[in-house]
Amino acid sequence: MFFVGRDLPVHRLGFGTGQLVGKGYWGPRGESEDAVDVLRAAVRRGVDLIDTADNYGPGLAEELVAEALHPYPVGLVIATKGGVVRTAADAWHIDGRPESLRAMCDASLQRLRRDRIDLYQLHRIDPQVPFTDQLGALVELRETGKIRHIGLDSVTFEQLQIALEITEIVSVQNKFNLFDRDSEKVLDLCEQQNIAFLPWFPLGNGRLTRGESEVVNAVGKRHDATPAQVALSWLLHRSSVLLPTPGTGSLEHLDQNLDAGELELSHEDLTRLDAVAAK
């Protein structure tokens, strides 16, 4: 259990909604009923952190979350993101203008059927807009009661330091997994400040589900676990502030991912896995 912003208790394995929409986070993946089933199954399994974004679909993932889970159970934390505009399957446009962020937040509130978003994360920092203006817009949204907490996605160590001087930041969402530890310095700062770190691509965008590492395979065989379960368990062991939110459109894979929370890796296991990650 981890407290996001000191007032939102969540289990350390959440659910990400990116795999509920089409390739490249564009359009539908399949029947909406299938996505609804997976979301409801996740909550039944005890998931209390749903991580989504306004540009997944775009808009579709948030709508699926509301369709599946509204009215929301007490204690369910919904995190979403704004600051990226999609105009085509391969077109991503960063837009951190305050007026845009306000409009994106309002649209997310409507799609999620919420009066306030628990955790609103700036999906990307817009290099064309002063960082203080972007954070100021989120602070304003928090002060008006539209969001509870502010988070940042894909930030550097220096950017996080600057943000913390301006306002409270309760979460960071950077790429981090067994094969990619470029954000380790950011993770260290999150540990110092007790900031939740939601690693995106916790399974290496599929690389860690395909058994590409002999060490991961051997550790999994020892515990009768899949490579994905080993990779998720490594994250949970690596730092107490890491909150992986692996996504899937499969009920079977959902159960496998959540079962990773029960996997206890030994000191020897972790030493071998750390060596893989350090390469």
Side-chain angles (χ1 to χ4, degrees):
M1 189 69 72
F2 183 88
F3 282 83
V4 177
R6 298 185 300 275
D7 63 345
L8 297 176
V10 296
H11 292 90
R12 291 185 54 221
L13 272 175
F15 182 82
T17 64
Q19 298 302 312
L20 298 181
V21 297
K23 184 178 180 180
Y25 308 115
W26 184 261
R29 172 173 176 161
E31 298 297 328
S32 63
E33 292 84 355
D34 295 333
V36 166
D37 288 345
V38 171
L39 282 162
R40 289 175 177 170
V43 172
R44 286 196 298 270
R45 280 290 309 266
V47 167
D48 47 19
L49 172 60
I50 304 294
D51 176 46
T52 189
D54 65 352
N55 68 81
Y56 293 171
L60 180 58
E62 290 181 329
E63 292 172 354
L64 287 169
V65 169
E67 180 182 350
L69 303 175
H70 187 272
Y72 298 105
V74 174
L76 181 65
V77 174
I78 306 294
T80 194
K81 296 178 279 290
V84 173
V85 177
R86 304 292 303 280
T87 55
D90 57 353
W92 304 68
H93 309 282
I94 300 175
D95 187 354
R97 293 172 298 170
E99 61 270 24
S100 297
L101 294 175
R102 289 191 289 267
M104 292 177 190
C105 180
D106 286 341
S108 290
L109 283 165
Q110 184 173 4
R111 284 190 293 266
L112 290 167
R113 306 181 208 170
R114 303 213 78 167
D115 296 323
R116 179 169 63 175
I117 294 169
D118 297 316
L119 174 58
Y120 195 75
Q121 302 170 99
L122 183 62
H123 207 162
R124 293 292 188 275
I125 295 175
D126 189 339
Q128 305 301 318
V129 178
F131 190 23
T132 52
D133 290 355
Q134 297 172 69
L135 284 177
L138 300 186
V139 169
E140 177 187 326
L141 289 169
R142 186 179 61 196
E143 290 175 346
T144 58
K146 291 186 176 181
I147 66 176
R148 184 189 296 267
H149 291 299
I150 298 170
L152 300 173
D153 190 311
S154 300
V155 292
T156 65
F157 177 83
E158 291 75 19
Q159 288 169 335
L160 180 56
Q161 282 186 313
I162 292 170
L164 288 170
E165 293 175 357
I166 298 172
T167 189
E168 181 184 24
I169 302 296
V170 306
S171 73
V172 163
Q173 192 157 20
N174 280 18
K175 182 164 67 171
F176 192 85
N177 58 64
L178 185 59
F179 289 160
D180 188 336
R181 299 194 309 183
D182 288 347
S183 287
E184 196 151 45
K185 190 176 179 182
V186 175
L187 175 59
D188 291 342
L189 181 54
C190 288
E191 289 178 338
Q192 296 168 18
Q193 300 292 329
N194 201 38
I195 295 170
F197 189 118
L198 284 64
W200 55 267
F201 285 174
L203 297 176
N205 198 23
R207 290 183 63 203
L208 286 159
T209 67
R210 297 192 291 266
E212 295 184 9
S213 167
E214 293 183 4
V215 172
V216 174
N217 294 341
V219 171
K221 184 176 181 180
R222 180 172 175 234
H223 293 277
D224 192 25
T226 67
Q229 288 173 327
V230 172
L232 290 172
S233 183
W234 177 82
L235 286 169
L236 295 174
H237 284 79
R238 171 61 184 81
S239 171
S240 62
V241 303
L242 279 168
L243 276 67
T245 57
T248 179
S250 160
L251 290 170
E252 179 183 1
H253 290 160
L254 170 69
D255 283 332
Q256 290 177 0
N257 290 343
L258 296 179
D259 287 345
E262 305 300 320
L263 180 57
E264 291 291 337
L265 299 178
S266 68
H267 177 74
E268 178 186 356
D269 294 330
L270 294 171
T271 299
R272 295 179 68 191
L273 292 169
D274 285 344
V276 170
K279 293 180 180 179

